[in-house]
Amino acid sequence: MRRPIRERIAGWIGGRGFILAYSALSLAALGWLIVAADRAPYLQLWPWAPWQPYVPLIVMAPVCLIVALSVARPNPFCFGGANNDAFDPARPGIVGWTRHPLLMALGLWAGAHIVPNGDLAHVLLFGTFAVFALAGQRLVDRRKRRELGARWDELDHARRHGRSLDFRRFGPRFAARLLIAMVLYLVFVAIHPVLFGVSPLP
């Protein structure tokens, strides 16, 4: 029996290479969808107000922090976690708050961007991503439960009762990821007008 195309590609370029390629393709598709929404006929659902740009500007700060604390970290509850065998449910980090931090970040990003984009095309675009982020968590949980069996329940119980993020202990690793989050935020602010023709700043 022939292996699925996903497994064959992962075998050629490796698991991490597949994830990087998939992420790059997803970002490219996302950019194309946003550009397409900008070019779609304008149908206003609610009027623009001066306070609305502050919503994504504020929300993107925790989004960047979630991403920085999640990427390349062990997470057996999601797809693409790095070195999942090393996951310590007693010290789960951000996974102690949510099994799917990247999907949470996606949902926050999408929901925040609906507010200042009150036209039908953008509401459909960002609303679809928000729904995908919520529904995706259930789908991933279902698949991971099948893969891990009873181990899934054991890990989930342990990570919920483990020591989550402790902001009182600023170690060098946390400081590095905090710096990454700050840089990521500034990069997003800088490239937003270049990519989408609109400054995120009010």
Side-chain angles (χ1 to χ4, degrees):
M1 174 182 272
R2 298 186 66 183
R3 293 184 300 167
I5 184 64
R6 177 185 182 278
E7 294 183 7
R8 282 185 280 159
I9 295 176
W12 297 333
I13 63 177
R16 181 166 295 184
F18 177 84
I19 292 171
L20 290 174
Y22 183 84
S23 299
L25 182 61
S26 299
L27 289 174
L30 173 62
W32 179 82
L33 287 171
I34 293 175
V35 171
D38 286 337
R39 296 177 178 176
Y42 185 83
L43 179 60
Q44 186 181 75
L45 299 180
W46 58 79
W48 185 87
W51 61 267
Q52 292 173 352
Y54 288 100
V55 175
L57 196 63
I58 293 172
V59 172
M60 283 305 295
V63 166
C64 290
L65 181 59
I66 292 171
V67 171
L69 292 174
S70 307
V71 172
R73 295 291 300 273
N75 184 358
F77 300 101
C78 74
F79 299 128
N83 194 21
N84 288 340
D85 292 337
F87 177 73
D88 181 5
R91 305 173 69 91
I94 196 170
V95 181
W97 287 0
T98 173
R99 290 185 296 269
H100 308 289
L102 291 179
L103 286 175
M104 173 182 281
L106 176 64
L108 289 172
W109 166 82
H113 280 77
I114 289 177
V115 177
N117 293 283
D119 62 285
L120 180 61
H122 284 91
V123 169
L124 289 175
L125 171 68
F126 293 116
T128 298
F129 279 105
V131 171
F132 169 80
L134 293 174
Q137 296 181 43
R138 291 182 176 272
L139 294 175
V140 174
D141 280 345
R142 190 179 305 170
R143 180 168 177 179
K144 283 295 184 177
R145 277 180 180 271
R146 289 198 304 266
E147 292 179 358
L148 297 175
R151 178 65 174 158
W152 191 96
D153 292 307
E154 295 173 3
L155 286 172
D156 188 53
H157 180 272
R159 67 98 193 168
R160 284 188 284 109
H161 293 84
R163 184 164 60 189
S164 190
L165 292 174
D166 188 353
F167 293 104
R168 294 169 299 180
R169 299 183 178 183
F170 289 95
R173 292 183 179 180
F174 179 82
R177 289 186 177 266
L178 183 60
L179 179 61
I180 291 172
M182 295 171 62
V183 171
L184 191 62
Y185 183 86
L186 294 175
V187 168
F188 282 154
V189 171
I191 68 173
H192 197 281
V194 177
L195 294 179
F196 309 115
V198 179
S199 173
L201 300 176

